Amino acid sequence: MQMTPMIESFVFHFGEMGSRWGFNRTVGQIYALLVISEQPLCANEIGELLGISRGNVSMGLKELGSWQLVQVQHKAGDRKEYYFCRGSIWDMANKVFEERRKREMDPTLSLLRDIMMDEAANSDEAYAQTRIAEIHDLLENITEWTQSLQSLSPEKLNTLMKLGSGVGKVLEFTDKFLGKKDTSKEA
């Protein structure tokens, strides 16, 4: 593989996006390189292409392995380990969503549940618990919704995404037809 300006642009941008998805910039760059590489790459090749140390590559590959995003392949007569992306792009998105849920949403939901179970000591705490319950319910609904989306096939998920704003328009039409007042725009 050759690091052309186009490939470099993608890889470096993906690294920046990776930091927003829950892993560091270098891990994002390693993953991006593997995503667009037609052939599996060994750690030395990854390090040379990205200009990073062998140790940094090793830690990045270990992190990607813990997310179940890469797989190791061996070549006959070669002692090196070669890495490639595991599954499709949809599989990658599902893994990232699932890992982020485990690392971010689950602990937050657990904390919120614990707070809601405590006895309120005064009216301020009672009000706070009411608001915390609203946050909990929203996060719980989002979690259930994303889990149900993850169970859809890529084809069905793609169709659903293409519907996009059309669903909102249907709901608005339904509300108008039924004479319901839109309270979301009031403030």
Side-chain angles (χ1 to χ4, degrees), residues 104-167:
E104 297 168 21
M105 293 294 265
D106 289 354
T108 300
L109 286 167
S110 180
L111 173 78
L112 295 175
R113 279 186 212 103
D114 289 346
I115 291 171
M116 290 171 12
M117 290 176 61
D118 288 343
E119 184 82 26
N122 55 43
S123 63
D124 289 339
E125 284 189 1
Y127 178 78
Q129 281 181 319
T130 301
R131 299 298 286 190
I132 288 168
E134 291 174 15
I135 295 167
H136 171 272
D137 293 348
L138 173 64
L139 294 178
E140 188 75 32
N141 285 336
I142 290 170
T143 300
E144 289 175 15
W145 180 65
T146 57
Q147 286 175 326
S148 66
L149 288 177
Q150 286 178 276
S151 69
L152 295 176
S153 70
E155 296 78 21
K156 287 183 181 176
L157 190 54
N158 202 26
T159 300
L160 181 61
M161 288 191 310
K162 286 179 180 178
L163 290 173
S165 64
V167 173

Side-chain angles (χ1 to χ4, degrees), residues 43-147:
N44 290 339
E45 291 170 312
I46 295 169
E48 287 172 20
L49 289 166
L50 296 176
I52 58 177
S53 71
R54 175 77 166 87
N56 216 354
V57 171
S58 180
M59 289 188 313
L61 290 169
K62 208 172 276 189
E63 175 79 7
L64 290 168
S66 75
W67 285 61
Q68 299 179 348
L69 292 172
V70 296
Q71 196 164 336
V72 178
Q73 176 182 7
H74 293 92
K75 294 182 180 180
D78 191 344
R79 294 177 19 176
K80 294 178 197 164
E81 293 181 330
Y82 290 84
Y83 299 87
F84 63 98
C85 289
R86 190 176 187 172
S88 69
I89 297 300
W90 289 102
D91 294 331
M92 181 236 4
N94 274 334
K95 283 291 180 193
V96 170
F97 288 142
E98 184 64 22
E99 286 300 316
R100 293 216 47 196
R101 182 190 59 78
K102 287 179 191 174
R103 296 173 188 214
E104 297 168 21
M105 293 294 265
D106 289 354
T108 300
L109 286 167
S110 180
L111 173 78
L112 295 175
R113 279 186 212 103
D114 289 346
I115 291 171
M116 290 171 12
M117 290 176 61
D118 288 343
E119 184 82 26
N122 55 43
S123 63
D124 289 339
E125 284 189 1
Y127 178 78
Q129 281 181 319
T130 301
R131 299 298 286 190
I132 288 168
E134 291 174 15
I135 295 167
H136 171 272
D137 293 348
L138 173 64
L139 294 178
E140 188 75 32
N141 285 336
I142 290 170
T143 300
E144 289 175 15
W145 180 65
T146 57
Q147 286 175 326

Side-chain angles (χ1 to χ4, degrees), residues 14-55:
F14 206 91
E16 296 304 318
M17 291 307 299
S19 67
R20 292 173 179 92
W21 295 339
F23 40 82
N24 74 38
R25 182 175 43 87
T26 302
V27 172
Q29 290 174 355
I30 292 169
Y31 190 64
L33 193 60
L34 294 174
V35 165
I36 62 173
S37 177
E38 191 172 358
Q39 299 298 318
L41 300 172
C42 71
N44 290 339
E45 291 170 312
I46 295 169
E48 287 172 20
L49 289 166
L50 296 176
I52 58 177
S53 71
R54 175 77 166 87

